Structure formats: C-alpha cells, structure tokens
Amino acid sequence: MRCSLLGSCLRSLLRGLIALGQLSGYAPPVAPPPPAGPGPGHPERLRPDLPLSDVEKELRRQLRDISGGPVPRDF
C-alpha cells in the first residue's frame, strides 16, 4: 500500500512538472519582417534603366523641399 501511494504521488508530481514546463516554455510565434518593397513583376516596381518623367521629377522636387534633404531615386 505504501508503494502504491508513493507511486501515485510521484506520478502526480511528474504530471504537474510536465504541465509547468509546457506553460513556461511557450514562446509566441514571431511574425516575418515586412517586405522591403514591391515584389518582382509588381506594376509599381521602379525601373532604374528608365529616366524619370517630368511629373516624377516635379514630385521628387516637392518631396525634397518638404524633407529638407536629398530624396533618393528609388523613393
């Protein structure tokens, strides 16, 4: 009888420790970083081999005036 009581207590203790380990070892999933820009083939992807149009040059000038510094071509 003493053996079965001790075995029952040890089993309960083991189950409790396993449950505690599962709770304390939980780590929430990490979200992937956002993409750096439009993907390949996206209609808004910039083409460095084409010069800026007059409208794009004017928009770039306006952005430069607002930001107070240079605006990169791929902005």
Side-chain angles (χ1 to χ4, degrees):
M1 174 145 155
R2 183 175 164 104
C3 251
S4 81
L5 180 61
L6 182 61
S8 177
C9 289
L10 287 176
R11 275 192 296 278
S12 295
L13 178 65
L14 180 62
R15 287 185 190 138
L17 288 174
I18 289 172
L20 180 64
Q22 288 174 341
L23 290 175
S24 65
Y26 174 74
V30 178
H42 192 279
E44 293 182 2
R45 186 144 182 100
L46 298 178
R47 298 233 355 233
D49 58 327
L50 294 177
L52 297 175
S53 68
D54 292 337
V55 173
E56 292 169 329
K57 288 177 185 176
E58 179 60 25
L59 289 171
R60 183 177 180 204
R61 185 192 62 75
Q62 291 175 10
L63 287 172
R64 185 178 53 237
D65 292 346
I66 291 171
S67 69
V71 177
R73 174 165 166 73
D74 61 348
F75 183 79

